[in-house]
Amino acid sequence: MPTLERLRRLREVLDRRQPDLTVLMENVSKPHNFSAILRSADAVGVLEAHAVHPTGGVPTHHKSSAGVAKWVYLRVHPDVETAIAHLKDRGFSVYATRLSDAAIDYRKVDYTRPAAVVLGSEKWGVSARAAALADAEIVIPMLGMAQSLNVSVAAAVILFEAQRQRLAAGLYDRVRLDPATYRRVLFEWAYPEEARRLRSEGRPYPPLDGEGRPVWSSS
Ligand code: SAM
């Protein structure tokens, strides 16, 4: 059972989660990059990240993730078309990070609106298909000798610009999750084993009291 202090901490983090900010990792193959991106996503309040991977799975989490995978949901899609359609259906504008002439400076984007940032593989970058489906291509200007950044560094630079804009707009000052999602996520974070058991039995989660403790019915 989590302590009241722990429940308070979980609620504090959930209060700042941003359901309309996310990343889509397209074939990011190195576990340490994958984990580092999730860690930055957690730090800016991403609730759910997205991935497509040729193996149909995702790179194994490296210990550098500091267990962050527990706090950022990961939705794996079979291909990039499905992933981008899913995001657009949910109202996200999709921004493909690309070192191309068509790309605009990443700071020109309004990240206070629903935004999904597509990150490409270490070797090949974002695919032409993903770029064609995206609403815009964005780039972090490179003024030195290196042609590109490490993918997790690029992710952090863009996500923290999104965080800067959202802080300025007051989006971390009020709860952004709808009440049902808030209760569901709080239960899954606070009582992961219980949540797994109830899901496997096809049973609903119990209501939570004001502190986040489950209220089990006596029937
Ligand atoms: N040869 C690849 C290419 O041309 O795209 C380089 C891939 S780069 C090492 C891996 C990923 O990091 C890219 O797909 C992109 O998501 C991100 N990235 C790296 N540098 C970037 C930059 N300057 N602007 C935007 N994204 C960048």
Side-chain angles (χ1 to χ4, degrees), residues 97 99 119-126 139-140 142 148-149 151 154:
T97 53
L99 303 137
L119 300 153
S121 77
E122 292 83 348
K123 194 155 177 197
W124 307 109
V126 169
V139 66
I140 302 161
M142 301 291 295
S148 66
L149 297 170
V151 63

